Amino acid sequence: MPTISFIQPKGGAGKSTSALILAAELAKGAQVIVIDADPNAPIAKWTSRGKGMSNLKIVQPGKDDSIFDLIEDAERKAAFVIVDTEGVADLRAAHTMSASDFVVVPSQGSALDQDNAAKAIKLIKDQERHIGRKIPHAVLFTRVNAAIRSRGMATAEKQLAEHGIDVFDTRIIEREAFKAMFSFNTTLDHLNPTEVSGIDKAKTNARAFAREVIARLKSLGQAQKQAVGEA
Amino acid sequence: MDGQNRHDPFGDEDLLEDIASFEPKTSGWDKPRPQEEEVAKIAQARGFDNRAPVPKPVKEALRPLQFRLPASEVEAFHQRAYEEFGMSHGAKISLFRKMWKAYLASLT
């Protein structure tokens, strides 16, 4: 039922990759609907060109479809709804935020990614004030170099910490296996280790991300129950 | 045979159980549904009405720059790079770029 959206107004930050990683992990244990709101439709193409997953359904919004209606409908049909948005600062991204239970803001840690992550987070905060509810969100570092912690990344971490912005402990490491999911239109579990390196490490990384998302959702659910009880 | 049937305490069963504990929503919309026009106003104030994609930085193709210098000068250059930029990938490139920028600035 929770709707998790991936929003970052800049392209190439790893939105679709991290959305697919999470969707594929969750679909191992529950029904998942991905609303592929990116006109390039990377996840829809991934499904149509490959075998997809039985628990994973894709919805592609039409130009005039209301994202609110699509999310509401998907939440009734699936245990998890994941929204992958286009890398632009548009109204659909803004609407998606306000209908989400959790917003993941992917960032590679570069100055440009950080600027656009900040733009998204400022809009989330504006919308929280308007709709009168918290929109939980956190930055997810993506395409992170496994061996080297760059100065840019260190600066990005420092800036986020200074502003009290939540960051996922898990980082999506730059791995051939994640790219290969799209090249071969399959999941990490079905990649061929003779063709792609680092599959096991990618699987561990994907699982850690899913585990952290689930832990955050459970904790939010408990907090909501407690708030209802206190009220 | 026994090993195959034995429960793996390090496996993912707990994660899968947690995932399976989530269910589709049975009742109506429980989140306050904002008015789309209001969201649009707020979004536009933050620049979220622009359909133009944020351009990705253009990556110029890289080429190596190779030449030989006395070993002592090379060592001193490495040492200075690590002191200024840390023992990281790119320290020597960073020092070279700093020197190059300073040189270009000195021409103007």
Side-chain angles (χ1 to χ4, degrees):
Chain A
M1 187 212 88
T3 293
I4 306 152
S5 55
F6 288 74
I7 297 176
Q8 156 65 273
K10 179 183 153 294
K15 278 186 297 293
S16 300
T17 304
S18 43
L20 180 58
I21 289 169
L22 180 64
E25 285 302 306
L26 298 178
K28 289 176 184 173
Q31 278 286 340
V32 178
I33 291 179
V34 174
I35 299 176
D36 191 346
D38 183 344
N40 296 316
I43 301 181
K45 284 178 190 162
W46 174 85
T47 307
S48 62
R49 289 173 182 168
K51 289 180 184 167
M53 291 175 83
S54 59
N55 264 353
L56 185 59
K57 302 267 180 299
I58 310 292
V59 172
Q60 279 185 274
K63 197 173 146 228
D64 298 321
D65 285 338
S66 156
I67 198 77
F68 293 112
D69 292 339
L70 292 174
I71 289 175
E72 192 169 10
D73 184 51
E75 284 185 349
R76 289 204 181 101
K77 292 176 180 162
F80 295 94
V81 180
I82 290 175
V83 189
D84 181 26
T85 58
E86 189 183 4
V88 294
D90 67 353
L91 288 180
R92 180 164 270 172
H95 288 145
T96 302
M97 280 174 190
S98 61
S100 298
D101 295 287
F102 198 97
V103 178
V104 180
V105 184
S107 168
Q108 293 179 67
S110 67
L112 195 55
D113 274 31
Q114 286 291 97
D115 285 351
N116 283 285
K119 191 174 175 179
I121 290 168
K122 283 174 184 168
L123 179 56
I124 290 173
K125 299 212 180 279
D126 288 349
Q127 298 216 48
E128 284 179 339
R129 281 191 286 275
H130 170 64
I131 61 178
R133 79 169 174 95
K134 287 276 173 200
I135 305 172
H137 56 276
V139 170
L140 173 70
F141 283 121
T142 55
R143 306 181 70 177
V144 173
N145 188 314
I148 297 153
R149 183 168 173 264
S150 68
R151 297 182 122 226
M153 182 64 78
T155 307
E157 287 168 349
K158 189 166 167 266
Q159 285 175 342
L160 291 166
E162 280 171 0
H163 292 280
I165 294 164
D166 200 1
V167 180
F168 277 92
D169 292 333
T170 310
R171 282 130 198 265
I172 303 299
I173 305 297
E174 175 89 326
R175 290 200 186 284
E176 193 57 38
F178 292 139
K179 291 178 190 160
M181 289 193 307
F182 287 98
S183 313
F184 294 97
N185 300 301
T186 190
T187 60
L188 292 172
D189 292 326
H190 291 96
L191 287 174
N192 184 344
T194 61
E195 290 176 316
V196 182
S197 63
I199 297 173
D200 284 342
K201 284 181 178 169
K203 282 186 195 174
T204 304
N205 195 184
R207 217 172 296 136
F209 178 40
R211 200 178 281 279
E212 193 175 349
V213 169
I214 291 293
R216 283 168 179 266
L217 293 174
K218 283 176 74 177
S219 147
L220 288 169
Q222 282 160 4
Q224 277 172 358
K225 276 181 195 164
Q226 202 174 348
V228 170
E230 283 168 8
Chain B
M1 223 22 215
D2 184 43
Q4 285 179 4
N5 295 327
R6 185 166 159 170
H7 168 69
D8 175 9
F10 303 103
D12 299 325
E13 286 168 24
D14 60 331
L15 176 59
L16 292 176
E17 279 170 18
D18 281 344
I19 290 172
S21 70
F22 286 83
E23 289 176 349
K25 189 187 286 180
T26 48
S27 56
W29 185 266
D30 62 356
K31 286 172 270 195
R33 185 166 174 158
Q35 289 188 329
E36 295 193 22
E37 304 77 42
E38 283 301 314
V39 173
K41 268 190 218 165
I42 296 167
Q44 280 163 0
R46 286 282 180 201
F48 269 70
D49 58 351
N50 177 11
R51 292 292 309 165
V54 177
K56 293 180 195 175
V58 178
K59 284 189 181 172
E60 194 179 336
L62 302 177
R63 284 178 58 188
L65 174 66
Q66 292 173 317
F67 45 81
R68 287 172 175 272
L69 291 169
S72 60
E73 285 181 24
V74 173
E75 277 307 311
F77 182 82
H78 288 185
Q79 189 62 37
R80 183 63 186 263
Y82 293 145
E83 281 169 15
E84 277 204 38
F85 297 99
M87 287 287 285
S88 66
H89 180 71
K92 285 175 271 180
I93 297 169
S94 298
L95 179 57
F96 175 79
R97 283 196 172 136
K98 184 182 169 185
M99 292 163 65
W100 180 246
K101 276 183 192 167
Y103 167 70
L104 291 177
S106 73
L107 299 178
T108 55

